[in-house]
Amino acid sequence: MLLASDIQVAQNIGFGIIALVMVIGALRVVTSSNVVHAALWLIAVMAGAAAQYLLLSAEFVAVTQVLVYIGAVMVLFLFGVMLTRAKLGKDVDLDNAGAWKIGAPVALLLLGVMGYVLVKGFDDTKIAVSGEGSTVGQNSLLSDKIFSTYALPFWALSFVLLAAVIGAIVLARKD
Amino acid sequence: MLFASETEHEAVAQASGWFLDHAWLIPLIPAIAFFLIIMFGKKLPRGGSEIGIASMLASLVISAGTAYQWIDLVGKTEHAEAVTHSTTWFEIGSLKVGIGSRIDGLAMMMLILVAFISTLVQIYSTEYVRGDRRYTHFFGSLTLFSAGMLTMVLAPNMVQLILGWEIMGLCSFLLIGHWWEERANSEAALKAFWTVRVGDMGLLVGTGILLALFGTLDIGEINAKAAEFTGDHKLLALGAVALFIACIGKSGQFPLHTWLPDAMAGPTPVSSLLHSSTMVVAGVFLVARLYPVFHTGLDINLAGHHFNLIAVIGGITVLIAAGLAFVQNDIKKVLAYSTVSQLGYMMMGLGVGAWMPAVFHIFTHAFFKCCLFLCAGSVAHTGSHHSFDMKKDMGGLRKKMPITFLTWMISTAALCGVPFFSGFFSKDEIIDSAKGNDYKVFFVVGLIGAFMTTAYMTRATYLTFFGKARGGAAHFVNEHEDHSHEPAHDEGHDSDDHHAPVVHGKPLVFAPDDSPWQITVPLIILGALALVAGYLNAAAKPFETDYFHRWLHSSIGVEIPEAPHFEWMNAVPSIALVAAGFIVSLLICKAVFGEGNSPLKGLTQRNAILGGVHKFLVNKYYLDALYEKVIVRGIAHPISAAAYWTNQHILDGIVNAVGKGGKRTGEMVYKYIDQGLVDGVVNGSGTTATHAGGALQPVQSGKVNLYGALLFGAAAVGALVLVLVNS
Amino acid sequence: MLVNNFLLLGALLFCIGVYGVIVRKNAVLVLMSIELILNSVNINLLAFDRLWADSGNNDGNVFALYIIAVAAAEVGVGLAMVLLIFRNRKTISLDDLSEMKG
């Protein structure tokens, strides 16, 4: 018997809408002839990704995605656009002439290979619905992992960030 | 603490005290002080030095309390075990890495030593680097160094030990290059850093091997398991060798000793603290700390083994460094080579199974060598206008600088092993144990080393304090000749204006021409200790004390033979050699450097053999040349040459050969088969092949996009191939 | 929900990002395309994490967070380099940066 809760209609519809927005946004990012528009479309993709994380019950990552990507990284991008004095409005000189002749086949080839492998490998594997008392998405577990098992990569990462901060200052300052 | 998840208490059975439980404060205080100095030091009236000195005093007080309670514990308990406190720092999988403290006799001794000498050197530095443009940074680095060394000494596990070890390496780099505006100084700093780094690889590899063998990083467990080791002996030996390479680097043993004399480019207090008395003994400390690993791994004290790696390296170092000390004109370089040589003694002592004398030598050596360096600094600061050249700018200073001279003489006597001075009790016992433990060769090496030590120290003393004043020293002596009895001189020697813009502090009243009190007081304290420190473990009659032995015995961790009982008769050869070294050297010095005309003068220029030896020594056995010219070039050049050759011959050759082969085939075909039909094809293939390399050239377009396309395309094709093969 | 929904979405975004990296000439846009690629990887990680989340295993979340942090660092340094290039050459067109030409 096919139960509604097995198909998860609402989730599937939600996924479909968000995925559609993301794909359209991503396509516009790589085809738009206006740098600022491309950046704005990228925000849509990021926000869509955050929504997908919520569907996957990864709330903390979703919030981080909004804070870091939409909040910080995108502002950085817009600053980059501004400081490099990109043309406002249309700019015909954003793409390599004729590069789509290489890019499209490569991208399609990749998509074909990956799609084939995924369909073959995970044919109709379902994500199980978590029952009562499930610990899925519990943030205390996440913090336990970060600060015990993965504490060393955490430190390495903080070092990377420090190096990036110093590197960015050294590279970008004027003298 | 962020990652504190649990606290383990060991050895609860035995009583412990507040200081033993809170020993982790000892490195923490200087560590916090470091940050305070860096952040607020420049705004303080004394530029941050007060924070540094206060933190070192606090550490010293807690160290003293810890030492007191440890001694108390040893007195009360038959087999006092190390007091360990450890908190989980982080976990990797199932491996928990802790941070905390492990107090036993060895740690206790090192804590006292480091905190005490750091305090004195910081007080000394307030005068020595007065007015320096990086005064605050100097004290910051000194304090951080102390924090690092104390962290390492306290370490209950290998990770904390490595942490402290690396902090010390960093501070060594910072302090050697303190005056980095001079190119030589920054190069010396880099050399020290990289040379030690070669050794540090050994530390990581060795720790990894220990982890693989014993499944733990805890030093106590490693020692216990290594003492009763029954497994793969080859692997343990490999681990011990790897760890020993780290010690070679840090403690300036042959063949990585070359960085230590260059490290004298740093300010003198730095040489005194880091590069003679504390940091460089870290390697010796590591061997002493993990003695069971080395003892089992390298077969020390095993019947029928007369050599082992540690003893051999230590013995070689004793002799070659002492040889180099003869030809140095820079007073600090003499002391640097002397340090290398004494570190060789300690290593040799550990290598011949004389754990206790070797560790005792760390203790005594720290006081007298630190004192010698500070004396050299005092001479340069006050007597020779900031020159360290004994031949050009020193001589005849003994009357003008009585405190410096007296403490220098005491320390020199201790270094040479003159009876009743501290060095005698430690060094002589190393030599005695080498004989007692059946390491005859190293017994002889030790005796020769004692002779050479006395000889080169006599030379340095003669050049610095006796004879006629030269250069800067002459200027200093003459300046104070006329009015040295006038009472108005209380203000210090302010007449120095055209040479030293720095305002000097006040000297002590009874030595008006000597250095200011910030310099002379530490000298007096260290000199006194150089005199008496030996009596903590003086085996000789009529003292027969063994405090040191009792306090530290439990740190060895493995059964080693008892040191042979001390007999004055056994000490006769070494005392005789010390006396002989003194007399011979004094006579030669008088002849060569004295005022009279002697046939010995300029002998190295006239006699080809002696000249050759002299040149060989001046060039440091050509080791630096070997490293730079032969090894570095020998490795770097062939690689680049090989790459070039490969490019020129193999890659081009393949392309050409394919082309030529094609052509040749074509010619054959042309000869035997139809010329008209195949000709075009053959020529075509030949030309194509010849230019195959050229054809690929456009791929290297320098265009990032194209590289990206190639990358992803190749990945896609690779994935496709895998999919096709596997389906 | 099928896990393939998310995986295929990730694959699609990845390929669009690759297309962008290859086709775009403006350095800032190339960096944006790289962000697309990184996001698609994150979607993949979280999907797998959710798929095998029964035993309280949430390593995927940790990795996703770390990737976000690394991406932030990458953008910072990348844009700093772009600024430097712009200041030195008055252009950020990748076509003009071909000193590596063999």
Side-chain angles (χ1 to χ4, degrees):
Chain A
M1 206 168 83
L2 208 59
L3 285 175
S5 63
D6 284 343
I7 313 173
Q8 296 178 295
V9 183
Q11 283 93 330
N12 273 324
I13 291 175
F15 170 82
I17 294 171
I18 302 163
L20 193 66
V21 172
M22 287 176 76
V23 172
I24 291 173
L27 284 173
R28 293 300 292 147
V29 169
V30 295
T31 54
S32 166
S33 57
N34 182 331
V35 186
V36 180
H37 286 185
L40 294 176
W41 277 114
L42 188 56
I43 294 182
V45 180
M46 305 281 186
Q52 301 288 21
Y53 298 165
L54 283 178
L55 273 183
L56 289 165
S57 56
E59 289 90 355
F60 188 73
V61 183
V63 172
T64 314
Q65 168 93 359
V66 173
L67 281 179
V68 175
Y69 267 121
I70 304 177
V73 171
M74 289 317 301
V75 172
L76 213 56
F77 268 121
L78 290 175
F79 264 108
V81 170
M82 189 184 78
L83 288 174
T84 52
R85 278 172 237 160
K87 261 189 206 159
L88 290 177
K90 279 200 174 179
D91 187 347
V92 285
D93 200 29
L94 287 178
D95 289 3
N96 284 317
W100 65 271
K101 280 179 237 161
I102 309 170
V106 169
L108 286 176
L109 179 62
L110 264 177
L111 184 63
V113 175
M114 284 199 281
Y116 173 75
V117 172
L118 287 175
V119 170
K120 193 157 176 269
F122 294 93
D123 189 11
D124 49 1
T125 316
K126 283 200 177 64
I127 294 178
V129 183
S130 44
E132 280 291 308
S134 162
T135 56
V136 171
Q138 197 174 314
N139 284 343
S140 57
L141 291 179
L142 187 60
S143 67
D144 282 353
K145 272 271 162 59
I146 291 179
F147 295 117
S148 62
T149 318
Y150 294 110
L152 205 63
F154 181 75
W155 284 341
L157 191 60
S158 44
F159 198 76
V160 167
L161 282 172
L162 178 70
V165 168
I166 295 172
I169 292 171
V170 169
L171 283 175
R173 73 176 195 167
K174 271 190 186 149
D175 55 299
Chain B
M1 249 177 143
L2 189 56
F3 305 125
S5 57
E6 65 185 277
T7 312
E8 294 156 21
H9 284 279
E10 275 178 36
V12 278
Q14 60 186 14
S16 53
W18 189 89
F19 286 110
L20 290 178
D21 294 337
H22 294 81
W24 48 269
L25 281 172
I26 299 172
L28 192 65
I29 292 171
I32 293 170
F34 162 71
F35 286 105
L36 290 179
I37 292 173
I38 292 298
M39 282 190 285
F40 307 113
K42 282 195 175 159
K43 294 184 190 121
L44 294 172
R46 287 169 189 273
S49 59
E50 61 268 65
I51 302 181
I53 294 173
S55 73
M56 290 325 300
L57 275 173
S59 285
L60 179 59
V61 168
I62 301 179
S63 303
T66 311
Y68 174 78
Q69 288 186 342
W70 171 258
I71 290 166
D72 195 44
L73 189 69
V74 175
K76 276 192 287 197
T77 327
E78 187 64 26
H79 297 288
E81 289 203 359
V83 184
T84 313
H85 290 281
S86 183
T87 296
T88 304
W89 181 14
F90 61 87
E91 303 174 30
I92 308 171
S94 61
L95 181 73
K96 283 182 184 165
V97 177
I99 191 162
S101 62
R102 174 190 171 84
I103 300 287
D104 59 1
L106 182 63
M108 179 271 291
M109 177 206 87
M110 291 299 290
L111 285 177
I112 286 277
L113 204 65
V114 174
F116 183 74
I117 290 184
S118 297
T119 313
L120 288 184
V121 167
Q122 290 215 358
I123 293 171
Y124 180 96
S125 303
T126 55
E127 169 65 27
Y128 192 84
V129 295
R130 179 190 288 251
D132 192 90
R133 76 170 74 167
R134 283 186 290 276
Y135 187 81
T136 305
H137 290 171
F138 182 77
F139 278 91
S141 303
L142 273 188
T143 314
L144 180 65
F145 159 75
S146 302
M149 181 97 192
L150 293 167
T151 306
M152 188 202 84
V153 167
L154 270 180
N157 62 55
M158 291 305 289
V159 174
Q160 188 180 338
L161 192 138
I162 293 173
L163 177 75
W165 183 281
E166 297 297 347
I167 292 176
M168 290 193 295
L170 171 71
C171 292
S172 172
F173 169 77
L174 289 176
L175 288 166
I176 295 170
H178 181 68
W179 293 316
W180 48 260
E181 284 88 349
E182 269 177 59
R183 193 164 176 78
N185 294 356
S186 71
E187 268 170 9
L190 279 177
K191 181 173 176 183
F193 192 72
W194 290 122
T195 313
V196 174
R197 201 111 283 267
V198 171
D200 288 356
M201 281 313 295
L203 185 59
L204 292 181
V205 172
T207 308
I209 292 177
L210 291 186
L211 180 63
L213 270 176
F214 303 125
T216 175
L217 289 170
D218 185 272
I219 288 175
E221 283 178 43
I222 289 176
N223 278 352
K225 285 182 181 167
E228 298 153 358
F229 188 70
T230 48
D232 186 352
H233 185 269
K234 225 179 242 170
L235 195 58
L236 185 66
L238 209 63
V241 169
L243 287 172
F244 187 62
I245 289 171
C247 304
I248 288 177
K250 201 71 160 182
S251 287
Q253 300 293 296
F254 176 83
L256 294 182
H257 63 279
T258 54
W259 70 271
L260 193 53
D262 285 18
M264 297 303 138
T268 309
V270 172
S271 316
S272 177
L273 178 62
L274 272 70
H275 304 121
S276 67
S277 52
T278 55
M279 188 190 85
V280 289
V281 300
V284 184
F285 172 81
L286 181 65
V287 178
R289 180 43 106 196
L290 293 173
Y291 201 57
V293 173
F294 294 97
H295 195 268
T296 317
L298 297 177
D299 295 330
I300 296 170
N301 284 339
L302 206 65
H305 286 61
H306 298 291
F307 295 95
N308 60 59
L309 181 69
I310 297 182
V312 168
I313 294 286
I316 294 175
T317 311
V318 168
L319 294 184
I320 63 154
L324 288 173
F326 279 106
V327 294
Q328 305 300 322
N329 292 332
D330 183 322
I331 187 170
K332 278 174 78 181
K333 290 239 162 120
V334 174
L335 295 176
Y337 282 114
S338 159
T339 304
V340 173
S341 169
Q342 295 301 309
L343 290 167
Y345 264 111
M346 298 173 201
M347 280 296 181
M348 194 174 88
L350 290 168
V352 300
W355 193 92
M356 195 60 71
V359 173
F360 191 48
H361 199 52
I362 295 180
F363 186 70
T364 54
H365 173 261
F367 295 123
F368 60 70
K369 187 52 67 63
C370 184
C371 186
L372 284 173
F373 266 103
L374 294 185
C375 286
S378 170
V379 167
H381 187 70
T382 306
S384 65
H385 292 303
H386 302 279
S387 162
F388 288 100
D389 195 316
M390 295 189 295
K391 277 192 178 159
K392 276 198 197 118
D393 288 315
M394 291 186 191
L397 287 168
R398 69 182 184 282
K399 292 228 175 80
K400 290 287 148 193
M401 307 184 74
I403 298 176
T404 308
F405 173 62
L406 191 67
T407 49
W408 169 281
M409 286 313 285
I410 293 173
S411 302
T412 303
L415 169 62
C416 299
V418 174
F420 307 114
F421 289 86
S422 64
F424 170 73
F425 297 112
S426 51
K427 190 151 88 177
D428 204 61
E429 207 159 331
I430 292 178
I431 300 172
D432 255 13
S433 298
K435 191 179 173 192
N437 293 351
D438 205 18
Y439 286 96
K440 297 265 165 20
V441 177
F442 299 105
F443 171 66
V444 177
V445 166
L447 288 179
I448 298 173
F451 174 80
M452 290 168 83
T453 308
T454 318
Y456 67 70
M457 282 314 290
T458 308
R459 172 178 174 271
T461 309
Y462 184 85
L463 280 173
T464 310
F465 291 102
F466 292 86
K468 208 176 142 210
R470 302 169 290 272
H475 185 247
F476 167 74
V477 169
N478 294 335
E479 200 173 277
H480 292 273
E481 202 62 50
D482 319 324
H483 49 91
S484 60
H485 300 293
E486 293 170 19
H489 202 68
D490 285 356
E491 291 297 310
H493 31 262
D494 44 0
S495 53
D496 228 8
D497 49 3
H498 53 281
H499 273 283
V502 191
V503 184
H504 286 193
K506 280 189 185 177
L508 292 172
V509 270
F510 50 85
D513 294 334
D514 211 327
S515 300
W517 69 268
Q518 291 100 323
I519 290 182
T520 44
V521 167
L523 284 181
I524 293 170
I525 297 175
L526 285 169
L529 280 167
L531 194 60
V532 302
Y535 292 99
L536 278 178
N537 207 30
K541 277 176 189 171
F543 316 108
E544 291 185 321
T545 53
D546 65 341
Y547 301 111
F548 203 77
H549 187 271
R550 262 188 280 148
W551 299 335
L552 264 71
H553 186 71
S554 67
S555 303
I556 303 177
V558 67
E559 287 295 316
I560 56 172
E562 283 288 315
H565 193 71
F566 184 87
E567 296 287 343
W568 279 103
M569 280 308 292
N570 289 338
V572 167
S574 70
I575 297 171
L577 277 170
V578 167
F582 173 68
I583 293 164
V584 170
S585 181
L586 186 67
L587 290 177
I588 294 178
C589 281
K590 281 223 158 166
V592 176
F593 306 121
E595 287 168 31
N597 215 348
S598 155
L600 282 178
K601 275 195 178 169
L603 192 65
T604 48
Q605 277 100 49
R606 275 179 280 127
N607 185 313
I609 300 169
L610 280 179
V613 171
H614 186 258
K615 198 175 164 207
F616 189 55
L617 286 175
V618 167
N619 286 305
K620 306 175 221 165
Y621 308 110
Y622 294 99
L623 273 181
D624 273 338
L626 175 75
Y627 293 154
E628 275 165 32
K629 299 234 169 72
V630 182
I631 295 181
V632 175
R633 294 221 186 132
I635 292 171
H637 274 220
I639 289 176
S640 59
Y644 182 72
W645 189 86
T646 315
N647 204 8
Q648 288 296 307
H649 292 81
I650 300 195
L651 295 185
D652 281 6
I654 289 172
V655 172
N656 286 341
V658 170
K660 276 184 194 150
K663 264 193 180 159
R664 202 158 296 156
T665 320
E667 278 159 20
M668 304 262 284
V669 171
Y670 171 78
K671 248 182 201 167
Y672 298 111
I673 313 173
D674 189 358
Q675 176 188 353
L677 181 70
V678 192
D679 193 32
V681 183
V682 171
N683 271 352
S685 82
T687 327
T688 315
T690 314
H691 293 291
L696 274 173
Q697 204 183 11
V699 176
Q700 298 214 348
S701 58
K703 291 207 167 87
V704 187
N705 304 74
L706 207 55
Y707 290 160
L710 281 173
L711 179 71
F712 285 113
V717 171
L720 187 63
V721 169
L722 279 179
V723 168
L724 290 179
V725 168
N726 285 330
S727 60
Chain C
M1 266 190 302
L2 294 179
V3 70
N4 249 345
N5 286 356
F6 294 97
L7 300 183
L8 286 175
L9 175 66
L12 193 55
L13 286 181
F14 186 89
C15 296
I16 294 173
V18 167
Y19 176 82
V21 168
I22 295 171
V23 170
R24 291 301 205 175
K25 196 161 78 171
N26 185 307
V28 176
L29 285 169
V30 171
L31 281 177
M32 287 189 201
S33 307
I34 291 175
E35 291 305 308
L36 278 181
I37 294 177
L38 286 168
N39 262 280
S40 74
V41 172
N42 263 356
I43 293 179
N44 249 22
L45 277 173
L46 288 170
F48 281 124
D49 176 75
R50 185 68 184 77
L51 181 63
W52 292 311
D54 308 320
S55 53
N57 183 347
N58 51 3
D59 293 1
N61 278 5
V62 181
F63 290 143
L65 281 175
Y66 287 178
I67 286 179
I68 289 177
V70 169
E74 171 253 321
V75 173
V77 175
L79 280 177
M81 285 164 66
V82 169
L83 281 188
L84 189 72
I85 291 168
F86 179 75
R87 201 179 301 137
N88 288 341
R89 300 164 166 261
K90 301 291 163 228
T91 176
I92 52 168
S93 166
L94 293 178
D95 265 10
D96 302 330
L97 310 171
S98 50
E99 264 80 55
M100 299 279 280
K101 186 170 162 54

